[in-house]
Amino acid sequence: MLSLYNITIIAKFELKTLLRSWFLRIFIVLSLAFLFMYDLVTITNVFKPFIPRSMYALPSSTPYINMVLFNLAQAVIAVFLSSDFFKRDRKLNTTEAIYIRSMSNSSYILGKAIGILFVFVILNVFVLVLTGTIHYFFGLSDVNIYAYFLYPLVISLPTLVFIIGLTFFLMGVIKNQAITFIILLGYIASAIFYLGPQIDPIFDYTTMWFPLMYSDFVGFGNEYEILIHRGLYLFAGIGLIFLTILMFKRLPQEDLIRKLSLPGTIISLIVVLFSIYSYILIPIERESLRTDIYTANYESSKIPRVTITDNTISLTHKKNHLECRSEIKFVNKNEESVTGYIFNLNPGLIVTSVTSKNKNIEFVNEKGLIRITPDKQLLSGNSDSLLIFYEGQIDENACYLDMDDERLDESKRQFVFGIKKRYSFLTENYVLLTNENQWYPNSGVKYLRNNPFSYKTNFINFKLNVTTDKNLNVLSQGTETKLNEYETSFNMSKPIPFISLIIGDYEKRSIKVDSVDYSLYTFEGHNYFDEYLNEVGDTLGTLIRELKNNYETKIGLEYKFNRLSLIEVPVQYTTYKRAWTVAQESGQPEMIFLTENGFNVEAADFKLYKQGQERFSDRSNQVILEKEKQGQMFNNFISSTLFDQSRNMRFRSQSDLQSAGNPFSIFPNYYSYVYKVSSDSYPLFNTLFEGYLKGDEDDSPFSRRRVMEAITPIEKAAISLSEKGIAAHLSDTLKKDILPDILDIKGDYLFNMLKGMISTEKLSSIINNILSNSPNSEIDLEVFHKKILEETSIDIYSMMDEWYNQNGLPGYLIEKIENYRFTEGNREKYQVRFTVTNPENVSGVIKTSFYAAGGRGGGRGGGRFGSFGGSGADEAISEQILLLGSKQTLEYGIVLDEEPRRMNINTILSLNLPLDIEKTFEEFEERKKVKPFIGSFPVEQGRLINSGEIIIDNEDSTFTFVNTSDRSMLKQLLDLGNDDEKYKGVRFWNPPNNWTATIHSDFYGKYIHSAHFIGGSDGSKSVSWNTEILSGGYYDVYAYISNALTFGRRGQNNSNTKYHYKIHNDDGVEDVEVEINNADKGWNLLGRYYFSEGNCKVELTDEGEGLIIADAIKWIAQ
Amino acid sequence: MKIKIDHLSKIYKNGNKAVNDVTLDIDSGMFGLLGPNGAGKTTLMRILATLMTASSGDVKINDLDILNDRGAIRSMLGFLPQDFSSFPKLKTWEFLDYSAALAGIKLKKERMHLVDAMLDKVGLLEFRDRQAKKLSGGMKRRLGIAQALIGDPKILIVDEPTTGLDPEERIRFRNILSDMSRKEIVIILSTHIVGDISSTCKKMALLNKGSVAFNGTPDELIDLAREHVFRIEAFDSDLENIKANYPVISTIPSENGWDVEVVANKLGDYKGEIIEPNLEHAYMYFMEYLVEDETVKVY
């Protein structure tokens, strides 16, 4: 008989026994203490730590991270406790006195399982109450009470049931606790460290790798997958418990559960299999839908498309369902007549009828396309209109057709937070629809796999009428009119490429500055920034005006819209950088979507910024008014978030192949949504032009990223272009990932060449002239071509052709850098001169920039708080473009009124690594009676290396070293760290124990400024520079020493360590020690030695502390 | 209460016949199961306690079948296993409480009352809060009988309960069992200590090599040994010889040498006095002279 009573009794006594286990007690104390400290440090301000806001930004993140961490631990402890019950039963000779009691095996096993489970229920409650208390009283974010109930149910419960079931089962089969334990620990480790992260999150029963971030807007956003994933483990656990009941070694007595055990096991197995099947089906369905769409698009791409001019949309939002009516007007701009219309619409939306002039007409709606055959063909130049009725939901599988599986499947993670990637929302309380979701009909096919640049946008007059719940706010483009409680209409006065729709419970704050309405829409109750920006109020207008003016001056474009809204969107909302535009879906006309609560928006981390400010003012003894501080904070927030192209939101797991771009960039609102240059022959032009206008990405050699990753995505693109030209890249569909960066860098090269030919000012004036004549419409490239030809006699078409077919890259050698000051009249002037040689077959262009002292802390440190008090940007005091023919040497000079601290030579696109050559000027010596040397003049190419001089760089083949394999079995198994890259970033806290190459402008090199480095050790690993001495004699031996890797942690690295060189000369081996802090920057003399003809070498050992760097050695014959 | 054991056999996987065609009727009262180590007592008890199934034959308790009505039978059972020394992390009273709860006493209050009464009865009340595993051997055994008794079992199976106990504990134990036997319940006591049975059991069976060698009252067993128990006055020189020829029960030094008690069918060359047998003598005589014949028959 199944007795609830017996189950309770057994559970109760199991619980009692377990709670007396010291093992468990220690675990409880340790885990609670750990989580207590963790919470205190990360979610409260008790220790004022420098913790990034993303750790606690979302109210749910606190219970989430606590549950995930605790779950990892309890999953192991549960194995121990569950296996212990079997061991105890077998070991204790009093067990039989219990076994003869009248209770069923099912009651007994269930009682035990529930007892164990209950221990953990209590523990989970403990953890959540502890966390919740800290969160509620001291937390930096609000408390979302649902999250506190959902996470234990979703994370803990299935994990525990599964692991209890699995342990019971294995103990039943293996009957040995130690072996069971080893097997299970092995399984747990492989699930958490390998199967989950490397293969698929479905294998990870702990949910460590499964996206479970809970948004205040929309919850998890992947309820179906959660159901599958957690259902799978819950039922697997239940099935295994049933199986244990069947296999239990005690004579059974009949009861219902036992009778149900076999069917129960089978049903559980079926549920598990079905879950797996459903899970497997998710990508398969996506793939099959996308393949269908690709095929359908390809087939329909030949049919000439009409151009939509007007679209009037009426939309009714009903829970998770849309009902729409779209009235489109279009014109045939083709030369031939159009006999069939093709429109695209999300395949989740079903067309119910199409009418033309109040008459129903035939249509076919499949695979995301609507095919309509009109009564009569539409002649060239003629217009027509249609009324399309449709309803349904958005199928997100049809979004981002340009992204491959790899990119779509990349997980979105930050710390231990996994976030489901969503491209649109359509729920009862929240709606987010953008053009990418195809929520209204557009002309033609959306995306062609074989020709991504054929993506067409044209400018349309939109009108939108939305009916929804009266308590929800509706946001879209254009002038808003509230028609009644339920209905809102939007009227856009100018044509724009697309509109978006957001419905939600929003709170609005707005300010009007110079006829533009600036609004901030946040989710009801999300107002964390209030305390940081409470005093900025009356200066806001001025701040905004200044920011806007500065940015517009920088990019040379004007804001053409009347509104700009920053809209908070759910954390799951994901966008991708596309090949053909810098615009991402989180930038919409008049709108920027900011991630929920500023999650992963670096500059929205006001707390951290404020701490930095305080630290800065403490150090500098400056007293800054709160209001001023807040102004700085606001400026930093806006300029970093909206203006900075490189300040990108990057997720840890995201591939390093391409630069992620800044999804919040405002630039598309200046160009992409206002202008378009179209050309059938050069469809790439608009992309390149856009890339040029947006300005350079600022990958400063001092940026943290440079140190961490050695080679930037842009440099990877340059390396790839050195191997094959752009034509080959465009036809290589496999390397799509790198394409945006290839276009970016190659476009930069094109426009900088153009700038060099016709001057920056002239190019700007031509561009402005063309753009200002045709906002909100397409511009034919022909207009550009004519204008440039007319004013400068440059044929942009032939230039494009040459550019397109070019192979190989220029390379630059910068030499004879001189800097000094002199007096002209009564003013100090600063002269910088150098020669630059391009020995390659391809002509090139470089950009020199000079920065005044004070900017970026003189090039050291830099980083996040380097720009307090400034405008935030590192303004160059001079910028010049220099064209360099193939195999040409130029002597270049510039005279500056202000003392430059640093020079940057941006080689745009070249064989140089890094692409930027940096030079920091220590001091300008005064020189008398010198003439200013200004301009660039071709000179005979000097000898690169003086006679009698031998230089061996670490890039040379005679530079040798021996490394041992430092990849442990575990590392190899887990595939941690990407070992494919030749050049690696520097991790000071974890220096390599093998010689490793890295890149830095300060290193010696021909094109590639690299060095090898290693963590200081006992001197057993050394490198050697080998060369052949052609004529015997005395040589001065020099070592090139830079302080390239001493930044970031000033004074901490190379704590005055000594480098140990071994010079093999005719008198034997001479040990030379160089104290690194006292070494000169550049060539350091190691001594004069006699070398006879033949081979010789210099060695450097890894003896020392910090990083040991091996760069180049020079022999100079005396 | 009536237990009918009918042609019950248990053959282990290794071919060992632990119980061999046992047929027994057991009525209310105390039933002693005597036999040497390895005679199959424990196997038989475990079958009766529903911990094990027989290979053949069946057991009926009243009209309940031990295979089909396991639940009902278990609800009538109290069982004290042969070894009863290792406990989960529970206090004395908690362990008893656990047993009581499983025996079906659902009300906490009633249970607490019963537990204390039972602890008192077995003399453990003052140790009620001690960890069960920290009790002494005798106390553990008493806790064992307490857990077997709690919940008023109709059938009480105690397997070798007195082994290893000191005499005082043993007597206390026998008394507890005797008390119980006044009620309408079956108590099956297995032992290899004859004294346990002589002092408590009305009926008994003697098990040897898995088979019932004797089934009756202790007196009937004693009767079988009448005129077969002798006391020999022996000199030192005879002692070895006597020991070689007869099963010796006791050897007590006397003035002239030794008073040796032996069992024998007939006393040969030695002069001995017939003495009144007790159960121990009878068991010895039976095992040495009667059972041997029996086994010859069997094999």
Short mmCIF file of all heavy atoms in Angstrom, two decimals, chain B residues 231-247:
data_model
loop_
_atom_site.label_atom_id
_atom_site.label_comp_id
_atom_site.label_asym_id
_atom_site.label_seq_id
_atom_site.Cartn_x
_atom_site.Cartn_y
_atom_site.Cartn_z
N ARG B 231 26.94 -39.94 35.16
CA ARG B 231 28.05 -39.24 35.80
C ARG B 231 29.11 -40.28 36.13
O ARG B 231 28.80 -41.30 36.75
CB ARG B 231 27.60 -38.53 37.07
CG ARG B 231 28.75 -37.76 37.71
CD ARG B 231 28.40 -37.16 39.07
NE ARG B 231 27.39 -36.13 38.95
CZ ARG B 231 26.29 -36.08 39.70
NH1 ARG B 231 26.05 -37.02 40.60
NH2 ARG B 231 25.40 -35.13 39.54
N ILE B 232 30.32 -40.05 35.64
CA ILE B 232 31.39 -41.01 35.86
C ILE B 232 32.41 -40.38 36.81
O ILE B 232 32.80 -39.23 36.63
CB ILE B 232 32.11 -41.35 34.53
CG1 ILE B 232 31.12 -41.84 33.50
CG2 ILE B 232 33.23 -42.36 34.76
CD1 ILE B 232 31.69 -41.98 32.10
N GLU B 233 32.77 -41.20 37.78
CA GLU B 233 33.87 -40.75 38.64
C GLU B 233 35.15 -41.25 38.00
O GLU B 233 35.38 -42.45 37.90
CB GLU B 233 33.72 -41.29 40.05
CG GLU B 233 32.61 -40.62 40.81
CD GLU B 233 32.46 -41.18 42.22
OE1 GLU B 233 33.35 -41.91 42.68
OE2 GLU B 233 31.43 -40.86 42.84
N ALA B 234 35.94 -40.37 37.55
CA ALA B 234 37.10 -40.79 36.76
C ALA B 234 38.39 -40.29 37.36
O ALA B 234 38.42 -39.25 38.01
CB ALA B 234 36.96 -40.26 35.33
N PHE B 235 39.39 -41.11 37.14
CA PHE B 235 40.73 -40.67 37.53
C PHE B 235 41.34 -39.89 36.39
O PHE B 235 40.86 -39.93 35.25
CB PHE B 235 41.59 -41.91 37.86
CG PHE B 235 41.03 -42.71 39.00
CD1 PHE B 235 40.44 -43.95 38.77
CD2 PHE B 235 41.06 -42.21 40.32
CE1 PHE B 235 39.91 -44.68 39.81
CE2 PHE B 235 40.53 -42.96 41.33
CZ PHE B 235 39.95 -44.20 41.10
N ASP B 236 42.40 -39.23 36.77
CA ASP B 236 43.09 -38.42 35.76
C ASP B 236 43.39 -39.21 34.49
O ASP B 236 43.21 -38.74 33.37
CB ASP B 236 44.41 -37.90 36.30
CG ASP B 236 44.20 -36.70 37.22
OD1 ASP B 236 43.01 -36.26 37.30
OD2 ASP B 236 45.17 -36.19 37.80
N SER B 237 43.83 -40.47 34.73
CA SER B 237 44.27 -41.28 33.59
C SER B 237 43.12 -41.63 32.66
O SER B 237 43.33 -41.84 31.46
CB SER B 237 44.93 -42.56 34.11
OG SER B 237 44.01 -43.19 34.99
N ASP B 238 41.90 -41.67 33.19
CA ASP B 238 40.76 -42.06 32.35
C ASP B 238 40.22 -40.89 31.51
O ASP B 238 39.53 -41.10 30.51
CB ASP B 238 39.61 -42.57 33.24
CG ASP B 238 40.02 -43.81 34.02
OD1 ASP B 238 40.89 -44.54 33.49
OD2 ASP B 238 39.50 -44.00 35.12
N LEU B 239 40.49 -39.76 32.01
CA LEU B 239 39.79 -38.60 31.46
C LEU B 239 39.93 -38.49 29.94
O LEU B 239 38.93 -38.33 29.22
CB LEU B 239 40.31 -37.31 32.12
CG LEU B 239 39.47 -36.08 31.90
CD1 LEU B 239 38.05 -36.28 32.44
CD2 LEU B 239 40.10 -34.86 32.58
N GLU B 240 41.12 -38.66 29.48
CA GLU B 240 41.35 -38.53 28.04
C GLU B 240 40.54 -39.56 27.27
O GLU B 240 39.92 -39.27 26.25
CB GLU B 240 42.84 -38.71 27.73
CG GLU B 240 43.67 -37.48 28.09
CD GLU B 240 43.11 -36.20 27.48
OE1 GLU B 240 42.93 -36.15 26.23
OE2 GLU B 240 42.79 -35.25 28.25
N ASN B 241 40.56 -40.75 27.82
CA ASN B 241 39.86 -41.85 27.18
C ASN B 241 38.36 -41.60 27.11
O ASN B 241 37.71 -41.83 26.07
CB ASN B 241 40.15 -43.12 27.97
CG ASN B 241 40.05 -44.34 27.07
OD1 ASN B 241 39.91 -44.17 25.84
ND2 ASN B 241 40.10 -45.53 27.65
N ILE B 242 37.80 -41.11 28.22
CA ILE B 242 36.36 -40.81 28.26
C ILE B 242 36.01 -39.74 27.22
O ILE B 242 35.07 -39.89 26.45
CB ILE B 242 35.94 -40.35 29.68
CG1 ILE B 242 36.11 -41.52 30.66
CG2 ILE B 242 34.51 -39.84 29.69
CD1 ILE B 242 35.96 -41.15 32.12
N LYS B 243 36.85 -38.76 27.23
CA LYS B 243 36.60 -37.67 26.28
C LYS B 243 36.63 -38.16 24.84
O LYS B 243 35.90 -37.68 23.97
CB LYS B 243 37.64 -36.56 26.45
CG LYS B 243 37.30 -35.61 27.58
CD LYS B 243 38.29 -34.45 27.60
CE LYS B 243 37.96 -33.50 28.75
NZ LYS B 243 39.02 -32.49 28.91
N ALA B 244 37.47 -39.15 24.60
CA ALA B 244 37.57 -39.68 23.25
C ALA B 244 36.35 -40.53 22.88
O ALA B 244 35.95 -40.58 21.72
CB ALA B 244 38.84 -40.49 23.11
N ASN B 245 35.71 -41.13 23.87
CA ASN B 245 34.62 -42.05 23.58
C ASN B 245 33.23 -41.47 23.69
O ASN B 245 32.32 -41.93 23.01
CB ASN B 245 34.70 -43.25 24.53
CG ASN B 245 35.81 -44.20 24.10
OD1 ASN B 245 35.90 -44.55 22.91
ND2 ASN B 245 36.67 -44.58 25.02
N TYR B 246 33.08 -40.47 24.56
CA TYR B 246 31.73 -39.95 24.78
C TYR B 246 31.71 -38.44 24.70
O TYR B 246 32.69 -37.78 25.07
CB TYR B 246 31.20 -40.36 26.17
CG TYR B 246 31.30 -41.84 26.44
CD1 TYR B 246 32.31 -42.34 27.25
CD2 TYR B 246 30.38 -42.72 25.85
CE1 TYR B 246 32.42 -43.70 27.50
CE2 TYR B 246 30.49 -44.08 26.10
CZ TYR B 246 31.50 -44.57 26.91
OH TYR B 246 31.61 -45.90 27.13
N PRO B 247 30.58 -37.91 24.30
CA PRO B 247 30.42 -36.45 24.39
C PRO B 247 30.36 -36.05 25.85
O PRO B 247 29.53 -36.57 26.60
CB PRO B 247 29.08 -36.19 23.71
CG PRO B 247 28.74 -37.44 22.99
CD PRO B 247 29.42 -38.57 23.68
#
